[in-house]
Every structure is written in C-alpha cells, then in structure tokens.
Amino acid sequence: MPFYNGTLFEIDRKEMLRYAGTNPKGTDFPKEAVDRAVETALALAEPKGIWQILPYSPADGIIEGDPPLTLTGNSIRHHLAKSWSVAVLAVTVGDAIEQESDACFKAGDYVQGLLLDAAATAATEHLADQVDRYIQKEAARDGQRTVWRFSPGYGDWPVTQQGPFCRLIHAEEIGVHVTDHSMLFPRKSVSAIIGISQCTQRPSPAKCKTCWMKDCSFRS
C-alpha cells in the first residue's frame, strides 16, 4: 500500500489561531510567540501518511479490505451511498510537538504550550489535505471524483470503529495506534475515508452539518 512522506514548509497561521481559540482578528497572541511556535512545530514535525484504495459495497456498507469492515452509522453510509470504491488513509506528525507543548505547560509557559498544540493540529490537517489532494488526482485519472473525507466520530459513525478501521488501513506501519478509548496515538493524527464515484463534481464539504456537537466552538 502507498506511503506518503509528507512535507511541511509552513503552517497556516489562521487555522492555527482558530484552533487556539483566538478572536477573528488573531490579536490574542503576540506575533513573536506565534512565529516561535510555528518554527518549533516545523522543526519537530515528523509527517507520515499511509493510504490505499479498496472496493466498497454501498448496499451493505462493506469495505472489502484485509480484513473486511462493515461500516455502522447512518451518516457514513449516506455519505458513501454513490461510492463503489473508497480511499482509506491515516496521517500523523508524530508526538514530538505534543511533548514540547506538554513541557511548556509544565514550565508555566501556557501561551507557548497552547500555540504549539494548535500548530500541531493545523499541521496534521494540512498533511491530511495533501493526501486528500493526491487521492483526488489518482481518481481523476480514471474519470472519477471523490467526496470529502470523513473520520470515525463524525455524525453517528461510532468512534469505537476507530480500532478496526485503523487495522484496515494498517496505520501501525506509520506508528499510529488506537487506545483502549478509541483515540489515536500520537494524538496529532487523523484517520479518514474518502468515497470515490463517477459523480461529475466533488460535493462541497459540510462536515460541521454532519457532526453531533452542535455547540462546538469550531462549528461553521
């Protein structure tokens, strides 16, 4: 299965500050602190990704992998209703940034700890976007389009399927594991599925509309 050795030359500061809970103008943190967090995160990040395309049966929600996986939850089944194959992926930036963030919190440097954590989250999403775009190009070669990526825990897709889903991806090959509470480790990791179909255009993302967390501060 393909590995993706991602590159991180920059971190989207706007996204980073959104994850840090800043105000819309981004004036909650000194520019010097933001720059320092970005530089540290870029130096410590170890971007890795893994993905593969597998047959999918929308009628019964089965991904024909090794082992096969039957998806549960109405939202993910509806999301993939027109897909006859899927791309499954996992990405991570490692745990070094999080360790540095924890060290900052323990040292009482809460601003830098928060900014580093937000930078790591933004970097992880950027890496997932890179793999997503690559998969879009692969699908386009066969005249196909993709639907936006969907992760365990979105909508009513149970996060408890995180374990079998990551085994399907073979996420352990890039150092990503699932805890007893169905959380990813390193924490700055993402697993996701992307539907592939013959649709004429890629549907616009509407992730927030499918999520059950109606009071989330990141909701758009």
Side-chain angles (χ1 to χ4, degrees), residues 134-157:
Y134 188 84
I135 291 168
Q136 288 180 53
K137 292 179 181 178
E138 288 291 299
R141 291 177 181 176
D142 296 325
Q144 298 180 318
R145 297 292 184 270
T146 63
V147 296
W148 52 269
R149 64 179 183 270
F150 209 98
S151 296
Y154 284 2
D156 66 350
W157 186 12

Side-chain angles (χ1 to χ4, degrees), residues 2-183:
F3 290 88
Y4 185 80
N5 296 316
T7 54
L8 289 172
F9 298 112
E10 186 54 275
I11 291 174
D12 188 325
R13 282 166 167 76
K14 183 178 179 180
E15 281 296 289
M16 168 188 166
L17 292 173
R18 185 171 72 89
Y19 290 125
T22 190
N23 64 48
K25 295 183 179 180
T27 57
D28 290 342
F29 301 103
K31 181 178 182 301
E32 295 77 11
V34 174
D35 290 343
R36 186 166 71 254
V38 169
E39 291 171 3
T40 302
L42 288 173
L44 295 177
E46 298 178 355
K48 297 177 183 178
I50 188 170
W51 64 277
Q52 61 178 315
I53 295 176
L54 298 169
Y56 174 71
S57 172
D60 48 26
I62 295 178
I63 303 173
E64 298 176 17
D66 182 20
L69 176 63
T70 300
L71 300 176
T72 59
N74 293 324
S75 55
I76 183 60
R77 296 280 294 272
H78 176 74
H79 186 68
L80 300 174
K82 296 182 179 180
S83 299
W84 291 93
S85 62
V86 294
V88 295
L89 67 98
V91 299
T92 185
V93 294
D95 62 353
I97 308 175
E98 187 172 4
Q99 290 179 4
E100 182 65 21
S101 172
D102 290 344
C104 288
F105 279 115
K106 290 177 181 178
D109 191 350
Y110 301 113
V111 169
Q112 192 66 8
L114 176 62
L115 288 174
L116 275 172
D117 183 81
T121 300
T124 305
E125 287 297 319
H126 178 64
L127 185 60
D129 287 341
Q130 288 184 10
V131 178
D132 192 333
R133 286 193 294 269
Y134 188 84
I135 291 168
Q136 288 180 53
K137 292 179 181 178
E138 288 291 299
R141 291 177 181 176
D142 296 325
Q144 298 180 318
R145 297 292 184 270
T146 63
V147 296
W148 52 269
R149 64 179 183 270
F150 209 98
S151 296
Y154 284 2
D156 66 350
W157 186 12
V159 73
T160 51
Q161 280 212 305
Q162 187 79 266
F165 185 61
C166 282
R167 285 194 291 274
L168 177 73
I169 304 169
H170 298 284
E172 74 281 356
E173 295 190 27
I174 58 168
V176 174
H177 302 276
V178 181
T179 71
D180 293 339
H181 298 288
S182 300
M183 303 303 291

